[in-house]
Amino acid sequence: MKAVRLTIWDRQAETFNAGVGAVFVGKHLKIAEFQGRCLTSTLLSSFRINPQIREAILIQEWWNNLDQDMLFDHLSSISDMIAIQPTSLLRKIKEIHDFTKEKVEIFNTQATVLTIRDNPTYPACPRPSCRKKVTPCDGQWYCEKCRSFFSHPKYRYIMKCCIADFTAELWVTIFNTQGETIFQRPALQYETLKSDIHQLLSAHSDACFRPFEFTIVAKSEIYNGIQRVNYAVNALTPIDLILRSRRLCEKIDAFPRF
């Protein structure tokens, strides 16, 4: 069982009168991140309480028959909230231009890592709930968000990578967990390589030109007054080339012959 937090703002919050156990339908809700994935209302949001439609009636019946002591897990993965598109070519992904702040699309694609920009790690606040960048100060590390000093930071990955298939290239943002998969080492171990340029170059060489199955989240953002689409990797899995080759051979064998 999954639960998701919904935040309602302004006048919508003043008029929202759904009680515990009520069924409501919401439109134009925004997906946000705060202690996990959550929903928040926008100026375009609208709600209907206990609408007399088939889906709402079924949900009400499910709730009425539910054990009231049932525990719900909080939704923590964006892939649980949005239907993921079938495997797409990068050219098709780049051709979509109708993103807005309220619209998020998720794609699966198979691509190869071509380039990783320099300095893919940063010193982060060691508190799991923060992870903001910390700065050296008087022999310690200071987190401006937490307003606290720490003896050591926790290094994390955040990097820009260029990935490609046979149709196009795409620059994506990759975060800590996926960075560990690409470099095959935690960020702290990557930091130790910076003292040896040969080992550092070798690590980047090993990380590039490897194929992965990517799950990419695409959403609109405004940077320096310019609207653009940001592509972030939500998950990635190394591709088993032997297994993939066998599947391709099976498809070729199954293709009708004339």
Side-chain angles (χ1 to χ4, degrees), residues 98-114:
D98 59 341
F99 293 100
T100 64
K101 288 184 179 180
E102 288 76 28
K103 183 177 181 181
V104 175
E105 294 283 355
I106 297 185
F107 304 90
N108 275 337
T109 189
Q110 294 181 352
T112 300
V113 176
L114 291 187

Side-chain angles (χ1 to χ4, degrees), residues 89-105:
L89 298 174
L90 293 182
R91 176 175 58 82
K92 292 293 185 181
I93 297 175
K94 295 179 69 174
E95 287 176 351
I96 300 177
H97 301 292
D98 59 341
F99 293 100
T100 64
K101 288 184 179 180
E102 288 76 28
K103 183 177 181 181
V104 175
E105 294 283 355

Side-chain angles (χ1 to χ4, degrees), residues 2 75-83:
K2 296 288 186 179
L75 198 59
S76 59
S77 172
I78 196 169
S79 61
D80 292 333
M81 299 179 63
I82 308 176

Side-chain angles (χ1 to χ4, degrees), residues 42-185:
T42 68
L43 293 176
L44 300 177
S45 297
S46 60
F47 302 95
R48 290 179 59 190
I49 309 300
N50 293 321
Q52 294 304 302
I53 59 177
R54 179 176 179 273
E55 291 80 2
I57 294 173
L58 291 176
I59 291 176
Q60 187 68 70
E61 292 177 352
W62 167 79
W63 174 262
N64 293 338
N65 295 324
L66 190 66
D67 183 355
Q68 298 305 307
D69 294 328
M70 179 72 70
L71 298 178
F72 289 80
D73 295 327
H74 189 272
L75 198 59
S76 59
S77 172
I78 196 169
S79 61
D80 292 333
M81 299 179 63
I82 308 176
I84 298 177
Q85 301 291 336
T87 300
S88 305
L89 298 174
L90 293 182
R91 176 175 58 82
K92 292 293 185 181
I93 297 175
K94 295 179 69 174
E95 287 176 351
I96 300 177
H97 301 292
D98 59 341
F99 293 100
T100 64
K101 288 184 179 180
E102 288 76 28
K103 183 177 181 181
V104 175
E105 294 283 355
I106 297 185
F107 304 90
N108 275 337
T109 189
Q110 294 181 352
T112 300
V113 176
L114 291 187
T115 305
I116 302 173
R117 285 185 180 170
D118 295 336
N119 298 320
T121 60
Y122 73 100
C125 177
R127 290 180 176 173
S129 59
C130 180
R131 302 176 181 176
K132 294 294 184 180
K133 185 176 181 178
V134 295
T135 55
C137 182
D138 296 332
Q140 292 185 300
W141 295 84
Y142 178 69
C143 177
E144 185 174 353
K145 179 182 178 181
C146 298
R147 297 183 179 180
S148 300
F149 288 90
F150 302 94
S151 59
H152 296 90
K154 180 178 176 62
Y155 283 93
R156 300 178 60 85
Y157 287 106
I158 182 169
M159 55 192 180
K160 285 287 187 178
C161 292
C162 180
I163 64 174
D165 61 13
F166 66 94
T167 65
E169 298 178 356
L170 185 69
W171 282 94
V172 297
T173 303
I174 292 181
F175 300 100
N176 189 62
T177 302
Q178 293 76 36
E180 291 178 347
T181 301
I182 288 179
F183 277 108
Q184 304 179 72
R185 54 173 58 84

